[in-house]
Amino acid sequence: MTAPPNTGARSRTAALGAVALLLLLVPAAACTRLAAQEGKHASEADGVHFSHAAHAKASVPCLACHEEIYDAKTLEGKFLPAEAKCLECHKEKKAQGDCGFCHRDPGHPATYPPREATLRLSHADHIERVKEDCARCHLKLSELTRAESTVPPMSTCTGCHEHQAELDASKCNGCHVDLRRFPLAPLTMFSHQGNFVRQHGPAARASAEGCAQCHDQTFCADCHARTVALPIEAKFPERVTADFIHRADYVSRHAVEARADSAMCSRCHGQSFCDSCHTAENLTPTGGNPRNPHPPGFSFPGPNSHGPLARRDIAACASCHDQGAKSNCVDCHRVGGIGGNPHPMGWTGKHPKDEIDRNPMCLTCHL
Amino acid sequence: MSRCDRRGRHRRRPARLWIGALLATGAAAVTAAPGAARADTIDATSTTLVSGRQDPRDGVVHTTVPVFELVSLRATDIRLRGVDDLNVIMSGWGEVTLTGTDDGKHGFGDLDIAYVEGKLGKRRLTVRLGRQMLVAGAGRNLAFDGANVTLAPVRWAGLSAQAGVPVTPRFAVHRGDFMFGGRAFFKPGFDSEAGVSFLQVLDHGDIARQDLAGDARFVLPRLSAVSLTGFVRYSLYDERVAEAQATATGQLSSKLEVTAGYRRTAPDLFLPRNSIFSVFSQETRDEVGAYFYVRLCNCLRLQGDYHVILDEQGTGHDASAKLTHALFGDNRDSVGVEARLLVLPGDHGYTMGRLFALGWLAPRVLATLDASAFFFEGDVNGHDRSFNGAATVSYDFKPGWRAQVVGIGSVTPFAERRFEAMAKLAYQFSHQIRQVRP
């Protein structure tokens, strides 16, 4: 199979049109669907009809259903009762085939979705101290007529626990596993919404301690480690919603990205990183049958000359050609060479001639 | 002989592995020794990846089968007399390529991070020893083997100092054999901080980096939805600004966040000062633009970004948009569409369109789809487009365990057809006995 020929402008217009159409259609379809969902007041996913208030009124003790919570030292685990527990009192409903008594979507009954623990909390330590009165923390439990969150607000915790010192020290991870679950709140400091990948750098430079409350350096190392085994896109291919830098066919577009921001590449990749692939592709003189990747006339003065490109993006040149004194620039640009003086305008004003004797690198050309 | 010659001879420094290995062994000993110390929280992960892919090199398609083992360990709040908040953090990896290597080497491995950290003197002195990254200030995420000490005698100000040996990036020449630096910081509030930092990297006694930097992050006290961040890095060696950045982020409502920013870089100042290429250029590149993120409704999130790029050759544009639709209202399942237009001076750039979807087929089965197309402004290897598709299926078969298979197919300028398959087995172990004591 051969890749299709170049029909650039038409393809780009078609692609942009398709994307624009999707940008219009998807929100419209989604909002229509959401309105329909809200209209019938139920999610398509199964859930349970449950009233804490009704059970409290019937004097059902909390631990009758949530027995496991009594010994729970963490929030890892399943603390919602299984169907068998409900059937201890409501088995006649199932016998009558009245699945809708509990299930919102009896046609597609499902178990509870898995939940991620976001707090470090020991119910076991609390229950005895509050004399099994769960309502000491879960204040609104007896008022809840629908199955909804029973997590108490943070003010309930701080009603007993003094945490000012931890707050001042930005040390939240004593209780919070992480703060990613808080959408756009607390504002400004911990919001990780949108393209946080793009924004996290400036924030981290002046708030590294704040980041460290939830993320140790192994988290940073997933992307930034100098010794990394493989890119994060390959490590976590299932994270399709994340904003990764090297996603999909990065090899084909890496030259364009490097042209857009070569300093960005230089943060992580050194010269040999480029060289290892370029040599394998026979794009360097060290390859067995070298192909010249540069346009005709690149080495000489003219419209395709390398000079202006090198001035603008010297890091790109260095990505392949930095072999110290053996770099091919030295042959032409050394003092007396045919390439002439390569230093930029104003160079001699900042670098007096006596620097040549002090800086061995200068002696590469200034023999 | 010039230092350039000397630099060229140094490739990888696998010998440094033993430093990290020693640290990791020490960390394991600290956490394992009965009665000596006990970690309140231990998180460990292990991921095994087996990949089979077609690797086109020099017109020939090679099939490579690398096997990766990635491990990480976090033992935090270890109790040790006289030391508070003692943590041991480590992550590392090993790779064995079964077939199709391009250089005849079959095994690699290294430590990404391996350090021990603790606080002394009523938490006024923080000491971190081992392989770590320098994130704050002039550090630019420099990885090094060494020590980082932070002294904060008062809550609102402090000093930090670092010294060690820079870690050689994988596939790269080493960037120096000694580094040292420091940062003074002022922290007026919980969410604001400003600092001045210095970093010098030496390579065989010659200066490879010598930077002075200032950084700041402030949340406006009377406008708490607006935060300002700024950073400037100045090369003392070249007496020029290497990098400057200013960003303002405002959360105009609970559903809308807007960011505006400016950034200037001098690409040549990202090269080591003892590189022969550091004498050829003094150009700068500027980027200015804005970004927004909005929750249109409970299920729809839209983000957009536009930046103008200015350099010596002209003006470029970088625009992107991404729309994510959360299904079923719980943010666990979603579909989305993304587009990007990158236009650079001199007829370079590309247009990208992407579709992605993530859904839980069953409570323990996650499936994802990802398809993207790129249309290049100029030819890349004689072609102007690239198509890529990837699908994953993950099964959380036991608590903490995940098995995953991945299939990737692509048609690119460098490969008429390319297929890749990957199997992944991940295990995440977490042991937490830290309690909030009433």
Side-chain angles (χ1 to χ4, degrees):
Chain A
M1 180 182 167
T2 304
N6 188 348
T7 50
R10 201 171 55 190
S11 305
R12 202 179 69 196
T13 307
L16 279 174
V19 169
L21 194 64
L22 282 167
L23 284 170
L24 287 171
L25 288 178
V26 172
C31 288
T32 307
R33 188 168 168 275
L34 185 74
Q37 276 184 5
E38 286 171 350
K40 64 182 182 182
H41 204 71
S43 164
E44 283 189 9
D46 186 29
V48 292
H49 299 293
F50 183 79
S51 168
H52 270 106
H55 286 75
K57 194 174 177 182
S59 301
V60 179
C62 301
L63 295 176
C65 297
H66 303 287
E67 196 176 341
E68 292 83 358
I69 208 80
Y70 197 93
D71 298 317
K73 289 185 176 296
T74 74
L75 292 180
E76 300 282 346
K78 292 180 178 177
F79 305 120
L80 296 175
E83 187 187 39
K85 178 62 71 177
C86 307
L87 295 181
E88 285 178 12
C89 299
H90 301 291
K91 62 182 176 187
E92 78 284 356
K93 295 293 181 183
K94 186 158 189 173
Q96 294 165 6
D98 186 7
C99 301
F101 179 75
C102 291
H103 288 275
R104 285 183 183 172
D105 185 2
H108 303 89
T111 186
Y112 303 108
R115 293 200 305 176
E116 189 183 342
T118 56
L119 285 174
R120 302 181 209 280
L121 179 84
S122 167
H123 273 96
D125 279 0
H126 284 74
I127 282 177
E128 286 185 5
R129 286 171 185 267
V130 299
K131 298 183 172 56
E132 299 182 12
D133 179 11
C134 302
R136 284 281 296 276
C137 295
H138 298 279
L139 300 172
K140 293 185 175 179
L141 217 52
S142 59
E143 302 166 16
L144 299 178
T145 56
R146 295 171 52 198
E148 55 186 292
S149 174
T150 59
V151 179
M154 189 168 151
S155 56
T156 305
C157 310
T158 53
C160 297
H161 300 279
E162 173 59 58
H163 282 310
Q164 192 56 48
E166 285 83 356
L167 196 62
D168 289 340
S170 312
K171 192 170 175 56
C172 307
N173 63 355
C175 300
H176 293 279
V177 174
D178 66 50
L179 296 167
R180 283 173 292 175
R181 283 296 180 116
F182 294 81
L184 288 173
L187 297 175
T188 67
M189 186 64 182
F190 296 116
S191 167
H192 288 28
Q193 297 299 306
N195 192 353
F196 191 71
V197 170
R198 185 166 194 141
Q199 298 181 50
H200 79 288
R205 286 191 189 110
S207 308
E209 199 181 324
C211 305
Q213 292 313 306
C214 296
H215 308 294
D216 60 57
Q217 289 201 355
T218 57
F219 182 82
C220 312
D222 275 345
C223 293
H224 292 289
R226 297 294 189 253
T227 59
V228 68
L230 69 173
I232 192 166
E233 298 84 357
K235 214 185 293 184
F236 301 110
E238 72 275 22
R239 295 186 186 175
V240 291
T241 56
D243 294 296
F244 291 146
I245 293 172
H246 305 102
R247 196 186 286 284
D249 177 27
Y250 194 78
V251 171
S252 297
R253 65 183 197 276
H254 78 284
V256 181
E257 300 282 5
R259 169 72 184 82
D261 191 354
S262 62
M264 182 75 85
C265 308
S266 307
R267 287 177 193 280
C268 296
H269 304 301
Q271 167 254 325
S272 301
F273 182 83
C274 312
D275 199 40
S276 60
C277 264
H278 291 175
T279 299
E281 289 292 322
N282 273 338
L283 294 172
T284 62
T286 50
N289 182 23
R291 293 182 287 134
N292 183 359
H294 301 303
F298 193 71
S299 303
F300 305 102
N304 286 336
S305 174
H306 66 286
L309 285 170
R311 288 259 189 269
R312 195 180 61 244
D313 192 5
I314 192 65
C317 306
S319 67
C320 289
H321 295 290
D322 192 356
Q323 285 89 33
K326 293 177 183 173
S327 301
N328 59 359
C329 53
V330 174
D331 292 338
C332 294
H333 288 294
R334 63 165 28 123
V335 173
I338 59 170
N341 178 8
H343 294 306
M345 293 277 286
W347 178 267
T348 50
K350 281 187 176 178
H351 300 273
K353 277 197 169 181
D354 61 349
E355 189 178 316
I356 293 171
D357 298 325
R358 287 185 277 115
N359 190 338
M361 181 179 62
C362 303
L363 295 173
T364 307
C365 294
H366 295 268
L367 297 171
Chain B
M1 179 188 290
S2 76
R3 84 194 70 175
C4 304
D5 284 320
R6 294 197 299 265
R7 279 185 66 243
R9 283 213 304 266
H10 290 268
R11 310 296 279 188
R12 290 178 54 77
R13 300 284 294 269
R16 288 191 188 131
L17 251 172
W18 71 268
I19 300 175
L22 198 65
L23 279 166
T25 308
V30 165
T31 52
R38 189 165 66 86
D40 264 342
T41 305
I42 296 174
D43 289 303
T45 63
S46 163
T47 305
T48 305
L49 272 157
V50 182
S51 172
R53 65 169 181 260
Q54 294 172 307
D55 189 8
R57 292 195 300 265
D58 194 22
V60 179
V61 177
H62 303 262
T63 300
T64 60
V65 185
V67 181
F68 296 95
E69 182 65 34
L70 318 171
V71 292
S72 73
L73 169 74
R74 296 172 66 245
T76 57
D77 297 314
I78 300 167
R79 295 173 196 170
L80 193 67
R81 186 174 295 172
V83 183
D84 292 311
D85 302 337
L86 181 61
N87 302 327
V88 176
I89 309 291
M90 190 277 284
S91 74
W93 59 274
E95 175 191 348
V96 176
T97 302
L98 301 179
T99 178
T101 61
D102 57 346
D103 55 5
K105 295 177 182 172
H106 289 273
F108 298 97
D110 214 332
L111 285 169
D112 297 330
I113 296 289
Y115 64 78
V116 180
E117 180 185 58
K119 294 183 178 177
L120 306 167
K122 295 182 179 176
R123 292 194 165 96
R124 289 184 178 129
L125 184 69
T126 303
V127 179
R128 184 187 293 158
L129 299 170
R131 177 165 293 187
Q132 56 193 295
M133 285 194 289
L134 185 57
V135 177
R140 239 177 60 197
N141 286 324
L142 178 71
F144 69 101
D145 294 320
N148 186 344
V149 178
T150 303
L151 176 67
V154 291
R155 190 174 289 166
W156 47 269
L159 289 166
S160 66
Q162 308 85 31
V165 180
V167 174
T168 301
R170 194 181 180 202
F171 302 118
V173 292
H174 83 298
R175 293 182 174 181
D177 42 32
F178 185 67
M179 58 76 68
F180 62 95
R183 179 170 179 263
F185 60 90
F186 168 64
K187 196 172 178 182
F190 168 62
D191 48 9
S192 298
E193 186 172 330
V196 178
S197 53
F198 170 79
L199 180 72
Q200 180 155 318
V201 179
L202 298 172
D203 189 6
H204 294 86
D206 302 320
I207 294 171
R209 275 181 68 183
Q210 191 181 55
D211 294 337
L212 183 69
D215 59 79
R217 174 180 167 82
F218 287 104
V219 175
L220 299 185
R222 293 189 180 180
L223 202 59
S224 63
V226 174
S227 65
L228 306 174
T229 56
F231 175 72
V232 60
R233 184 168 65 86
Y234 182 80
S235 169
L236 292 171
Y237 188 87
D238 280 75
E239 299 177 355
R240 282 190 294 134
V241 172
E243 187 178 11
Q245 188 161 15
T247 306
T249 299
Q251 293 191 334
L252 306 183
S253 76
S254 63
K255 294 182 177 178
L256 175 63
E257 178 182 291
V258 178
T259 297
Y262 166 78
R263 179 167 166 252
R264 160 167 282 198
T265 53
D268 65 299
L269 293 179
F270 284 76
L271 293 172
R273 295 298 83 203
N274 57 345
S275 163
I276 191 77
F277 284 81
S278 67
V279 303
F280 292 156
S281 169
Q282 293 182 355
E283 309 297 344
T284 56
R285 173 192 178 278
D286 296 278
E287 183 180 298
V288 61
Y291 159 84
F292 74 88
Y293 170 79
V294 59
R295 281 193 290 164
L296 297 170
C297 60
N298 281 341
C299 65
L300 274 180
R301 285 152 171 77
L302 176 66
Q303 64 188 57
D305 181 292
Y306 174 69
H307 280 78
V308 177
I309 301 167
L310 306 162
D311 68 16
E312 299 297 324
Q313 200 180 4
T315 304
H317 308 274
D318 187 357
S320 63
K322 182 174 168 184
L323 183 73
T324 308
H325 176 208
L327 305 169
F328 314 127
D330 60 0
N331 289 334
R332 284 164 48 81
D333 305 85
S334 55
V335 295
V337 56
E338 185 178 3
R340 184 183 182 196
L341 179 64
L342 178 64
V343 180
L344 299 173
D347 289 336
H348 299 287
Y350 65 79
T351 305
M352 180 202 76
R354 177 171 173 251
L355 293 165
F356 58 89
L358 177 152
W360 288 87
L361 303 181
R364 291 179 177 181
V365 180
L366 172 70
T368 67
L369 287 170
D370 189 347
S372 54
F374 296 87
F375 300 92
F376 299 104
E377 197 71 32
D379 278 1
V380 176
N381 201 31
H383 302 283
D384 73 336
R385 61 190 72 175
S386 170
F387 301 100
N388 308 268
T392 75
V393 178
S394 309
Y395 177 44
D396 300 341
F397 58 95
K398 284 179 73 176
W401 286 88
R402 168 171 286 188
Q404 184 182 72
V405 289
V406 184
I408 300 170
S410 55
V411 176
T412 76
F414 292 102
E416 291 175 350
R417 272 193 302 259
R418 185 180 178 191
F419 298 101
E420 182 175 351
M422 189 171 77
K424 183 169 117 177
L425 180 66
Y427 174 54
Q428 183 161 10
F429 165 80
S430 185
H431 178 64
Q432 298 173 347
I433 58 172
R434 185 182 176 83
Q435 301 165 1
V436 177
R437 302 174 202 289

